[in-house]
Amino acid sequence: MRTVISALWGIPALLVAAVLLLVAVPGAVAAPDTPAPAPAAATADALAASWTGPLSTRGRYIVDADGNRFKLRSGNWAGAQGTYTGSGDADDVANHQAHQKSNNIPLGLDRTPIERILADFHRLGINSVRLPFANALVHDRTAVPDTAVAANPELKGKTPLEIFDAVVAALTADGFAVILNNHTTSYRFCCGLDGNERWNSGQSTQQWIDDWVFMAERYRNDKRVVGADLRNEVRRDTWDDANWGMGDDHDEYTAFEQAGNKILQADPDLLIIMEGINWQGIPANGLPHGRPDLKPVRTLSHTLIDSGKLVYAVHFYGYTGPANTGAGSGPGSTDDPRYQDFTPEQLARVVNDEGLFVTEEGKHFTAPVWVSEFGAAGRGSANTEEQAWFRNFTDILVKNDTDFAQWPLVGWSDDKGTPNDNWALLSYDAAGRRTGVEDAGDWRATDWNKLVNAPSKSGPIAPVDHWNLVFTDHSDWNLSRTMLAEDDWSPGNTKGNCPDTQRLIGLSHTHGRGLCTDAAEPRKAAGAWETVADERYVQQGDWAVGYNKVQCPVNSFAVGYSTHGPAMVSLLCAPAATPLPTDGRSVWFDRGDNRPATGGAHGSDWAEHDYKGQCADHEYLAGVAMTWKSLQQGRPAALLCRPLTA
């Protein structure tokens, strides 16, 4: 979310630096550009007929239920996350973002009938809407004032959640895909020390997950509600940073994994959308600070219980930067470059490094990337640096065929058509008159229309293979719906298992990481899966002389494993529906990596700083050898890899 400047008197400079994570930069008035041709407006019926929910993913692409590419051409309809800036009387519109008081519902419902707003969305050429909400909305039982829905009197007397329901229903009835976005905890706008820094700011992680399950179940029957965007712009609070994989209460990686899988258990049709860490460190020259975004995904990506449901998201604004908060001066400002300071070539490299690299095919991290927020000040702004950045950035989105959502869609304007928030693509005055990006005087029209009209990959997308990691560094990592419904299959030990559509194909030597795949996946037979913690099935020859071994029975393959400390304890074995070959090879990895030269997540590290053993894509993992000699402490040292076909 783009922020506004707030008064921060009396706060020590170091804390102000943490507060001012994003500060808007106003621009002067300029002559309007001549807009490029507007996108063709789709009717509600045409949009609805063009795709079928639910959505899923195939490699870097999102696809609909028929397997056809569905590119998210989106906007953010803000308001239900709250607009109060946190100081002064909350009932005074002057204390709300851009002097726009949303009453905690999507903006514009006081000024324009919802069907007219949706018609204007169609004219923009979008097919989907990111719909932010606050956790407070889930629990708010107070009816909004009648004035908040003056242009939609059928909504009078309803709570913010009930109005959110009506907006969702109207959008999906018009053919739009809706992505729910947990933007804030409270109704406060935005973005420094506002109580909304992390998913568990002002609430527990369990409450946050419970709220998400509630929302997933609430819209489960509407297959045009396609995604759960877990949390907006996770950042530092006063004292602590969020982290990626440390296993503590600030571990975004683990919290998002847990929430995503709980949501999929409530509604297996939803896309699970995850942003990276938006900011770490104290923004002051000489102190460590920066914007990790999706960089940690290179070595620690997520695996969901349903393959083909993960989407990563990232935000870019020209006045911020890889290590720049966006503060113009004073506390919170640093000498680090902003995105708008980069040449087009430099910007393309930075955008790839912070996000778009995730779309590389065949990696453990491969997923679609949605730029779910970007934007610029339009009508009335002559900020030439920002305009050049917007043009360069939209060129990058076009070149990479990237899914996108501009911030924001809807704002207010005065009776002369001057927007309160000139970042909005559509603004409505008190009489409901619209001023939009396509109307004369908004320089962004050329670049917006270029982006929406850009040629994109379309039609059927072929199914892809997945390689996904299992992360048992701190706790169990149970990714199997089958085993989630069963009792503990290795009591007292740390367990990792693959999604039901995948099998185990690799292990790390020291840290207990695993790698799963569905490449050439054999069909599983009916019947219980077996936990093997001894050598009873080592019957076709000793493939690791002098080492202890755990091995699956004939015609079964490993789908999970358990450890105790660094020591290998057991394999979880699933029966195959057809006979499997029993000849094989030993893959040793106690003294270095032993991975296939091609395929198998080649070129991506799924257990950084650890030796890894990995079977080839056409093999299954049948056994693991370990030893307590030479201080090895029972660490896995070799895999038995067998071919899937004779």
Side-chain angles (χ1 to χ4, degrees):
M1 177 191 288
R2 181 180 53 85
T3 190
V4 292
I5 299 173
S6 300
L8 297 167
W9 301 108
I11 302 177
L14 195 60
L15 297 188
V16 174
V19 175
L20 290 173
L21 295 185
L22 296 174
V23 180
V25 181
V29 176
D33 290 338
T34 301
T43 65
D45 288 344
L47 180 57
S50 70
W51 68 284
T52 304
L55 302 182
S56 57
T57 71
R58 292 182 177 178
R60 61 147 295 180
Y61 296 109
I62 297 170
V63 299
D64 73 359
D66 297 321
N68 294 314
R69 168 80 185 286
F70 186 88
K71 182 176 181 176
L72 294 176
R73 296 181 174 90
S74 321
N76 287 268
W77 191 359
Q81 83 288 345
T83 51
Y84 174 54
T85 56
S87 61
D89 183 359
D91 291 327
D92 186 347
V93 69
N95 299 320
H96 288 255
Q97 187 268 333
H99 293 184
Q100 300 174 141
K101 187 173 184 288
S102 71
N103 289 287
N104 311 320
I105 61 176
L107 275 162
L109 299 178
D110 59 328
R111 298 179 169 224
T112 310
I114 193 169
E115 59 268 17
R116 287 185 54 194
I117 295 175
L118 301 194
D120 289 337
F121 288 178
H122 285 295
R123 293 188 186 97
L124 289 173
I126 63 175
N127 60 13
S128 44
V129 172
R130 183 177 186 245
L131 203 58
F133 71 91
N135 291 97
L137 175 141
V138 175
H139 306 280
D140 191 345
R141 301 294 181 262
T142 304
V144 303
D146 288 352
T147 54
V149 290
N152 294 273
E154 71 279 7
L155 300 179
K156 288 182 178 179
K158 294 186 180 297
T159 66
L161 179 58
E162 290 169 336
I163 292 171
F164 196 84
D165 291 340
V167 168
V168 169
L171 284 165
T172 58
D174 251 32
F176 292 102
V178 171
I179 297 94
L180 308 174
N181 162 240
N182 178 225
H183 213 78
T184 52
T185 304
S186 70
Y187 285 134
R188 182 174 168 182
F189 186 108
C190 166
C191 293
L193 298 182
D194 58 5
N196 297 310
E197 299 89 353
R198 295 192 308 275
W199 62 95
N200 55 0
S201 296
Q203 61 188 351
S204 67
T205 296
Q206 187 60 56
Q207 181 61 61
W208 172 68
I209 292 174
D210 289 346
D211 285 353
W212 258 123
V213 170
F214 171 86
M215 294 295 275
E217 291 176 339
R218 191 172 187 87
Y219 303 112
R220 180 170 49 199
N221 293 329
D222 189 341
K223 297 310 173 188
R224 294 194 191 277
V225 177
V226 298
D229 184 353
L230 296 184
R231 187 71 178 190
N232 187 72
E233 294 183 5
V234 171
R235 55 195 181 274
R236 180 186 177 88
D237 64 12
T238 306
W239 304 112
D240 295 295
D241 288 318
N243 67 75
W244 197 263
M246 292 178 63
D248 60 15
D249 194 44
H250 297 165
D251 180 359
E252 177 186 331
Y253 172 82
T254 297
F256 278 26
E257 175 83 14
Q258 292 170 344
N261 285 326
K262 285 293 187 183
I263 291 167
L264 287 174
Q265 288 175 279
D267 183 356
D269 288 331
L270 288 175
L271 296 174
I272 304 300
I273 301 169
M274 304 183 185
E275 293 180 36
I277 299 173
N278 188 260
W279 188 267
Q280 285 180 327
I282 297 176
N285 288 329
L287 293 175
H289 58 269
R291 199 180 304 278
D293 284 329
L294 296 178
K295 290 179 182 178
V297 173
R298 284 190 183 275
T299 52
L300 187 55
S301 60
H302 289 87
T303 306
L304 297 171
I305 58 175
D306 295 319
S307 301
K309 287 298 180 180
L310 175 63
V311 175
Y312 283 112
V314 65
H315 296 175
F316 291 98
Y317 291 103
Y319 62 89
T320 67
N324 194 306
T325 65
S329 61
S333 64
T334 68
D335 298 329
D336 303 292
R338 306 171 193 272
Y339 295 115
Q340 66 193 30
D341 296 331
F342 295 130
T343 67
E345 294 76 17
Q346 291 171 330
L347 181 62
R349 287 194 295 270
V350 168
V351 169
N352 184 74
D353 184 51
E354 295 184 2
L356 297 191
F357 75 89
V358 174
T359 61
E360 296 173 26
E361 297 285 4
K363 311 300 185 184
H364 70 80
F365 52 71
T366 301
V369 172
W370 183 34
V371 178
S372 56
E373 285 190 27
F374 73 102
R379 189 178 305 276
S381 173
N383 185 332
T384 56
E385 287 185 333
E386 186 172 62
Q387 291 181 16
W389 170 82
F390 191 77
R391 183 159 297 115
N392 293 334
F393 184 70
T394 51
D395 284 345
I396 291 170
L397 298 183
V398 169
K399 181 178 179 180
N400 289 279
D401 196 7
T402 302
D403 300 69
F404 62 85
Q406 184 149 334
W407 180 279
L409 279 172
V410 177
W412 290 2
S413 62
D414 63 20
D415 58 5
K416 297 180 181 178
T418 303
N420 289 35
D421 182 353
N422 64 349
W423 290 60
L425 294 178
L426 301 165
S427 298
Y428 299 96
D429 70 11
R433 291 183 292 261
R434 183 203 72 223
T435 304
V437 68
E438 299 297 346
D439 298 320
D442 196 319
W443 65 266
R444 298 172 299 174
T446 295
D447 296 308
W448 171 255
N449 295 340
K450 167 194 68 182
L451 181 59
V452 175
N453 292 329
S456 297
K457 187 174 181 64
S458 61
I461 303 296
V464 300
D465 295 329
H466 301 88
W467 295 270
N468 295 120
L469 62 83
V470 180
F471 179 73
T472 58
D473 291 35
H474 308 294
S475 63
D476 289 354
W477 216 248
N478 192 346
L479 304 171
S480 163
R481 285 182 178 272
T482 297
M483 299 312 295
L484 283 168
E486 301 290 337
D487 294 332
D488 190 337
W489 56 271
S490 186
N493 301 308
T494 301
K495 292 164 288 297
N497 49 52
C498 299
D500 284 349
T501 56
Q502 299 187 26
R503 69 187 184 280
L504 189 66
I505 196 175
L507 287 173
S508 71
H509 176 61
T510 302
H511 299 302
R513 298 273 181 92
L515 184 70
C516 305
T517 190
D518 55 12
E521 179 73 3
R523 289 188 300 110
K524 294 182 175 72
W529 299 359
E530 183 175 354
T531 302
V532 181
D534 54 34
E535 298 189 2
R536 75 184 76 172
Y537 295 119
V538 182
Q539 299 174 355
Q540 293 82 38
D542 192 343
W543 51 272
V545 177
Y547 282 71
N548 298 89
K549 290 167 281 290
V550 289
Q551 184 173 325
C552 293
V554 170
N555 296 326
S556 66
F557 51 92
V559 292
Y561 59 99
S562 69
T563 60
H564 195 88
M568 187 75 190
V569 174
S570 67
L571 282 177
L572 179 66
C573 304
T578 56
L580 296 173
T582 57
D583 57 318
R585 64 189 181 101
S586 300
V587 174
W588 292 91
F589 58 102
D590 54 338
R591 298 180 184 179
D593 276 5
N594 193 345
R595 303 175 61 195
T598 59
H602 178 68
S604 57
D605 193 341
W606 48 271
E608 192 177 26
H609 308 308
D610 200 359
Y611 297 150
K612 294 166 286 294
Q614 183 177 326
C615 299
D617 295 345
H618 62 275
E619 295 177 321
Y620 69 98
L621 195 159
V624 179
M626 75 292 291
T627 185
W628 278 261
K629 299 175 182 178
S630 303
L631 302 177
Q632 286 296 297
Q633 299 178 292
R635 291 181 175 92
L639 308 179
L640 174 60
C641 298
R642 288 173 166 171
L644 287 166
T645 57

